[in-house]
Amino acid sequence: MIHKTNAARFLDGKNTPYELVEYEADESDLGAVHVAAVCGEEIEKIYKTIVCECEPKGYIVVCIQGDLSLNLKALARLSGHEKCELLNLKKLEKVTGYIRGGCSPIAMKKAYETFFDERILKQEYVYVSAGVRGKQIKIAPRSLIEVTQAKLGDVAV
């Protein structure tokens, strides 16, 4: 039996359809490429969650395709900030309630402004972390965008 995570319970509360998928987490390789391989999915369907600290002060969340890199300048423009930097991993759990390799854009400790790279709309479904290592949420992109109240933009290269 798969135990529900906070992110899954949040989706249940919104009556949002999804599938909770378990996989063997590898503590030495928490990357999206590994998740794609063990889930038997194309890397384009695996979305990684990145938290940024921006100036003027604030945190934002961004999700991009697992094989792409975040364009921090494009994210700053899109979000209306002067500058965005990757959040120091030592602060991740305090800011989000999640740990590296288990950070979900769904049901963080606080609702931060969230962005998705616009390529997400090309997918029938995507995977995002369910909030713990070894669990992913398989969900329709439009449902994910709706529950996270995300904005779309070209933020990955």
Side-chain angles (χ1 to χ4, degrees):
M1 178 174 162
I2 295 179
H3 290 86
K4 297 271 180 140
T5 63
N6 286 341
R9 285 189 287 277
F10 180 86
L11 293 174
D12 289 344
K14 299 279 186 186
N15 293 318
T16 301
Y18 69 94
E19 181 182 338
L20 197 56
V21 178
E22 286 189 308
Y23 67 96
E24 188 67 37
D26 180 351
E27 301 292 320
S28 67
D29 185 359
L30 299 171
V33 173
H34 172 74
V35 173
V38 297
C39 289
E41 288 289 352
E42 300 167 341
I43 189 64
E44 294 84 7
K45 295 193 181 315
I46 308 298
Y47 271 67
K48 55 188 173 184
T49 303
I50 302 168
V51 181
C52 294
E53 193 165 3
C54 300
E55 292 180 17
K57 287 291 180 198
Y59 300 106
I60 61 175
V61 177
V62 61
C63 291
I64 63 172
Q65 198 172 287
D67 61 339
L68 299 179
S69 297
L70 179 60
N71 181 332
L72 289 166
K73 288 184 180 184
L75 179 63
R77 275 193 306 275
L78 180 64
S79 65
H81 289 91
E82 293 172 23
K83 180 180 177 183
C84 292
E85 295 179 348
L86 299 179
L87 181 69
N88 184 314
L89 286 176
K90 292 177 183 171
K91 295 172 140 182
L92 184 65
E93 188 171 10
K94 181 180 179 194
V95 170
T96 67
Y98 293 127
I99 61 172
R100 181 175 175 264
C103 187
S104 178
I106 304 164
M108 288 189 175
K109 280 172 51 171
K110 182 178 174 197
Y112 297 107
E113 190 172 23
T114 302
F115 298 87
F116 285 96
D117 185 75
E118 61 195 10
R119 290 171 186 87
I120 196 169
L121 293 177
K122 294 179 181 177
Q123 303 301 326
E124 179 185 347
Y125 60 87
V126 294
Y127 288 75
V128 293
S129 175
V132 295
R133 292 176 182 160
K135 290 185 183 176
Q136 293 280 306
I137 288 175
K138 181 179 177 182
I139 188 170
R142 292 204 185 275
S143 296
L144 180 59
I145 292 163
E146 183 180 326
V147 299
T148 58
Q149 299 180 339
K151 296 176 180 87
L152 298 175
D154 184 10
V155 295
V157 290

